[in-house]
């Protein structure tokens, strides 16, 4: 069993399913009707939905850090991690000055540097002796090359987030629950739990007392619009 969450700044909806894949997403009927951009942690299932798909760069930073800690004869992982976070810091500074995007020349400059670091990765990965970490490094290289645009959307449109931390934070309580009390005894229990939590978390995000929201449901009042 797993829980999928659909989050933005003022709403979160949790759904419990037995399996991952397209069928549960279609059953939820949320992304099937969504016409915006979707941020995820390289869940390729999401690529079919929305008008754009964005990759979480915090997770990429973690994967790069794993290579940095375990493969001492490559430099590209360190350079690429520093480059990605440098772009985000520059973006934050630009936003503080009222900018909404980088100009075309700056974006081209960043894309060129990204490409050159991937070329370095391609060459340095040939020198990795461990077959295990060589495959890990090559897998990450292929991912970054294929999904380059998805990783760099945040510099083309400042409204696109750098990461999926919002979703991660909304899921944190489920990770805590599984560590403390384990999973659910039945799918029915899980679905009741996620429905209740969807109401509570959305209420909190909207500055509404969760008790008032639950009371409104029992009074058959309209809860959220």
């Amino acid at each position: 069993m797993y829980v999928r969450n659909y989050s933005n700044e003022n709403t979160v909806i949790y759904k419990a399913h037995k399996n991952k894949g397209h069928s549960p997403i279609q059953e939820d009927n949320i992304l099937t009707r969504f016409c915006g951009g979707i941020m995820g942690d390289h869940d390729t299932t999401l690529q079919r939905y929305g008008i754009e798909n964005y990759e979480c760069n915090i997770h990429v930073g973690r994967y790069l850090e794993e290579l940095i800690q375990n493969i001492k004869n490559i430099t590209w992982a360190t350079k690429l991690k520093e480059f990605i976070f440098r772009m985000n810091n520059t973006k934050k500074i630009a936003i503080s000055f009222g900018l909404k995007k980088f100009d075309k020349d700056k974006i081209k400059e960043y894309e060129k540097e990204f490409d050159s670091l991937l070329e370095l990765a391609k060459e340095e990965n040939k020198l990795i002796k461990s077959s295990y970490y060589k495959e890990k490094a090559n897998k990450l290289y292929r991912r970054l090359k294929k999904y380059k645009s998805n990783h760099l959307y945040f510099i083309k449109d400042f409204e696109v987030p750098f990461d999926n931390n919002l979703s991660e934070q909304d899921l944190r309580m489920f990770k805590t629950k599984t560590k403390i009390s384990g999973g659910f005894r039945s799918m029915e229990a899980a679905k009741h739990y996620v429905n209740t939590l969807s109401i509570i978390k959305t209420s909190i995000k909207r500055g509404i007392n969760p008790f008032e929201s639950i009371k409104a449901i029992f009074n058959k009042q309209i809860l959220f619009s």
Side-chain angles (χ1 to χ4, degrees), residues 3-100:
V3 173
R4 181 179 290 280
N5 71 311
Y6 305 92
S7 299
N8 59 27
E9 290 78 5
N10 65 2
T11 303
V12 57
I13 300 172
Y14 301 104
K15 293 289 185 178
H17 293 285
K18 289 184 178 180
N19 303 299
K20 294 184 177 181
H22 292 292
S23 294
I25 292 176
Q26 290 165 2
E27 180 185 325
D28 294 342
N29 198 26
I30 295 173
L31 295 186
T32 50
R33 298 177 292 125
F34 184 64
C35 298
I38 300 171
M39 166 66 73
D41 175 25
H42 200 56
D43 183 351
T44 54
T45 309
L46 300 178
Q47 298 287 329
R48 185 182 292 184
Y49 309 97
I51 58 172
E52 302 288 359
N53 281 269
Y54 316 127
E55 290 279 351
C56 173
N57 287 292
I58 289 290
H59 281 86
V60 165
R62 292 173 190 165
Y63 304 143
L64 289 168
E65 185 60 31
E66 182 185 4
L67 300 184
I68 293 166
Q69 295 296 324
N70 291 284
I71 310 172
K72 302 303 181 183
N73 61 333
I74 62 170
T75 64
W76 73 267
T78 300
K79 291 177 179 178
L80 186 57
K81 183 181 177 183
E82 291 174 350
F83 171 62
I84 290 171
F85 283 88
R86 172 161 50 88
M87 284 191 293
N88 191 44
N89 288 333
T90 306
K91 172 184 171 178
K92 290 177 181 177
I93 294 170
I95 290 173
S96 72
F97 282 94
L99 297 179
K100 295 184 178 179

Side-chain angles (χ1 to χ4, degrees), residues 51-152:
I51 58 172
E52 302 288 359
N53 281 269
Y54 316 127
E55 290 279 351
C56 173
N57 287 292
I58 289 290
H59 281 86
V60 165
R62 292 173 190 165
Y63 304 143
L64 289 168
E65 185 60 31
E66 182 185 4
L67 300 184
I68 293 166
Q69 295 296 324
N70 291 284
I71 310 172
K72 302 303 181 183
N73 61 333
I74 62 170
T75 64
W76 73 267
T78 300
K79 291 177 179 178
L80 186 57
K81 183 181 177 183
E82 291 174 350
F83 171 62
I84 290 171
F85 283 88
R86 172 161 50 88
M87 284 191 293
N88 191 44
N89 288 333
T90 306
K91 172 184 171 178
K92 290 177 181 177
I93 294 170
I95 290 173
S96 72
F97 282 94
L99 297 179
K100 295 184 178 179
K101 61 181 180 180
F102 290 124
D103 61 44
K104 291 182 180 179
D105 290 338
K106 189 65 176 176
I107 292 171
K108 285 182 180 179
E109 178 187 322
Y110 279 143
E111 289 179 331
K112 185 177 179 181
E113 186 170 352
F114 189 90
D115 289 339
S116 67
L117 288 170
L118 288 186
E119 283 300 311
L120 178 63
K122 183 180 179 180
E123 295 304 314
E124 288 190 341
N125 285 355
K126 296 175 183 177
L127 306 175
I128 300 173
K129 295 180 180 180
S130 166
S131 58
Y132 174 77
Y133 282 110
K134 188 170 188 175
E135 176 53 30
K136 277 210 162 193
N138 282 329
K139 185 177 180 181
L140 186 56
Y141 159 75
R142 292 192 295 268
R143 166 183 167 175
L144 290 166
K145 188 175 179 67
K146 182 176 181 179
Y147 296 99
K148 168 187 169 182
S149 294
N150 307 66
H151 282 286
L152 295 182

Side-chain angles (χ1 to χ4, degrees), residues 214-223:
I214 294 170
K215 185 170 70 173
I217 292 173
F218 282 99
N219 290 330
K220 297 182 179 180
Q221 297 172 350
I222 295 174
L223 184 58

Side-chain angles (χ1 to χ4, degrees), residues 161-218:
F162 177 70
D163 52 53
N164 69 340
N165 278 355
L166 183 148
S167 181
E168 288 278 313
Q169 290 167 5
D170 287 337
L171 275 174
R172 192 164 294 156
M173 62 185 64
F174 286 100
K175 294 179 181 178
T176 303
K177 174 178 169 52
T178 54
K179 288 180 181 178
I180 295 174
S181 59
F184 299 96
R185 294 186 179 182
S186 69
M187 278 301 300
E188 184 180 5
K191 288 181 178 181
H192 285 312
Y193 184 86
V194 299
N195 287 341
T196 303
L197 207 56
S198 297
I199 296 164
I200 292 171
K201 283 287 290 185
T202 298
S203 298
I204 292 170
K205 284 192 172 196
R206 299 187 183 193
I208 302 170
N209 186 323
F211 176 78
E212 295 299 324
S213 296
I214 294 170
K215 185 170 70 173
I217 292 173
F218 282 99

